[in-house]
Amino acid sequence: MGNQLTAAAADVGTRSDQELIMLVRDGRPEAFEELFRRHKRAAEYMARRESDNASDAEDIAAEAFLSILASLCAGKGPDQHFRSYLLTVTRRMAHRRNTRARRLARLAHDRALEPAGIGQLPDLEPSTMTRAFESLPPRWQTVLRCVDIQGMAHAEAAAYVNVGANGVASLLVRARKGLRLAYLWEDRENFPAPPGLRRPDNRPAKATGD
C-alpha cells in the first residue's frame, strides 16, 4: 500500500498542470495536492499584495484553493493555465474580504459618531472633554474616534481621513497633542495650568490640509 502511494505521488509530480486538472476531475486527490504544492506561494503572495491585512494571506489563499477544488469536482473551473486562474480567484477573495472589513469598520465608525460616543470617555469630566474635543478640526476628531475610541488599525482608519497608514500615524500625533492642549485649556480653572499655556490654535495647517 505504501509503495502504491509513493508511486502515485511520484506520478503526479511529473505531470503538467493541465494533466493534474484532469486527474482531479477523475477523483485523484493527490493531483490537487500537487497543484497546491506548486502554486501555494504564488497565491499567498497575491493575497498579501491585494489584502488590507497581510496576516489574512494564508486564509485567503486557502479559500481560493478550496473554491477551485469545489469547481473542479463539479466539472467546472479551469481546463488549463491553473496559476493564472488561481491568482484571479485569490485577488477576488482578497477584495471581497477587504470590502467586508471596510463595511464593518464604517458601521463601527458611524456608531462612534453618535452623540453618546464622546460621553463614554472614562475618568474625565464630560463637559470639559466634550468642549476640548469639539474644538479640534473634524479630521482630528475622526482619527481619534477611529483609533483611540474604536481601536481601528491605522490601515482601517486611513479610509476615513483620506490618507495612507503612515499619514494616519502623523495625523494621530497632532490630534492627540491638540486634544491634550485643548483639555488643559478648558480645565485651567480646576487645575493649575502648565507654565506658558495659551489658548490652543487647532486650525489645520493650510499646507497639509490637516
Side-chain angles (χ1 to χ4, degrees), residues 24 26-27 45 50 56 92 116 127 146 171 202-203:
V24 173
D26 288 340
Y45 174 82
E50 298 295 326
D56 289 339
R92 289 175 180 170
S127 60
C146 288
L171 185 62
N202 284 329
R203 291 175 297 177

Side-chain angles (χ1 to χ4, degrees), residues 2 4-5 10 15 26 36 41 48 68 78 86 93 104 114 121-122 132 134 147 152 157 160 164 170 182 200:
Q4 291 178 346
L5 292 174
R15 300 296 186 100
D26 288 340
F36 180 83
R41 291 181 63 183
R48 279 192 298 273
I68 295 175
L86 169 66
M93 292 281 188
L104 291 174
E114 295 175 359
L121 291 172
E134 291 179 346
V147 178
M152 292 184 192
Y160 300 104
S170 177

Side-chain angles (χ1 to χ4, degrees), residues 24-35:
V24 173
R25 289 194 170 121
D26 288 340
R28 295 275 301 275
E30 68 274 14
F32 195 79
E33 291 174 6
E34 176 63 18
L35 288 169

Side-chain angles (χ1 to χ4, degrees), residues 13-28:
T14 61
R15 300 296 186 100
S16 67
D17 285 357
Q18 187 172 359
E19 290 174 317
L20 291 174
I21 289 171
M22 296 173 63
L23 290 175
V24 173
R25 289 194 170 121
D26 288 340
R28 295 275 301 275

Side-chain angles (χ1 to χ4, degrees), residues 33-189:
E33 291 174 6
E34 176 63 18
L35 288 169
F36 180 83
R37 186 190 65 78
R38 289 181 187 180
H39 304 293
K40 176 177 180 287
R41 291 181 63 183
E44 289 180 353
Y45 174 82
M46 175 64 73
R48 279 192 298 273
R49 194 184 76 177
E50 298 295 326
S51 175
D52 290 343
N53 187 352
S55 64
D56 289 339
E58 289 188 11
D59 289 343
I60 293 170
E63 289 176 9
F65 274 107
L66 286 174
S67 174
I68 295 175
L69 176 60
S71 296
L72 292 176
C73 291
K76 303 176 183 178
D79 294 318
Q80 55 186 345
H81 307 305
F82 182 85
R83 177 169 291 201
S84 297
Y85 189 93
L86 169 66
L87 296 182
T88 298
V89 173
T90 302
R91 185 185 299 112
R92 289 175 180 170
M93 292 281 188
H95 291 177
R96 188 178 306 161
R97 186 174 288 219
N98 291 344
T99 299
R100 185 166 59 247
R102 290 169 187 168
R103 188 181 300 120
L104 291 174
R106 188 172 296 277
L107 177 60
H109 175 260
D110 291 343
R111 288 175 178 171
L113 295 179
E114 295 175 359
I118 301 303
Q120 294 171 357
L121 291 172
D123 303 324
L124 295 171
E125 203 283 317
S127 60
T128 301
M129 175 52 73
T130 299
R131 290 195 304 271
F133 190 89
E134 291 179 346
S135 73
L136 302 178
R139 291 181 76 207
W140 288 13
Q141 294 183 31
T142 299
V143 76
L144 288 170
R145 283 182 175 124
C146 288
V147 178
D148 288 346
I149 297 177
Q150 290 298 316
M152 292 184 192
H154 289 187
E156 294 176 300
Y160 300 104
V161 289
N162 297 318
V163 296
N166 291 337
V168 169
S170 177
L171 185 62
L172 191 60
V173 169
R174 295 195 295 274
R176 287 170 176 167
K177 180 179 179 181
L179 180 60
R180 176 179 176 274
L181 293 176
Y183 183 82
L184 290 174
W185 176 262
E186 294 293 342
D187 203 41
R188 64 192 183 282
E189 295 182 359

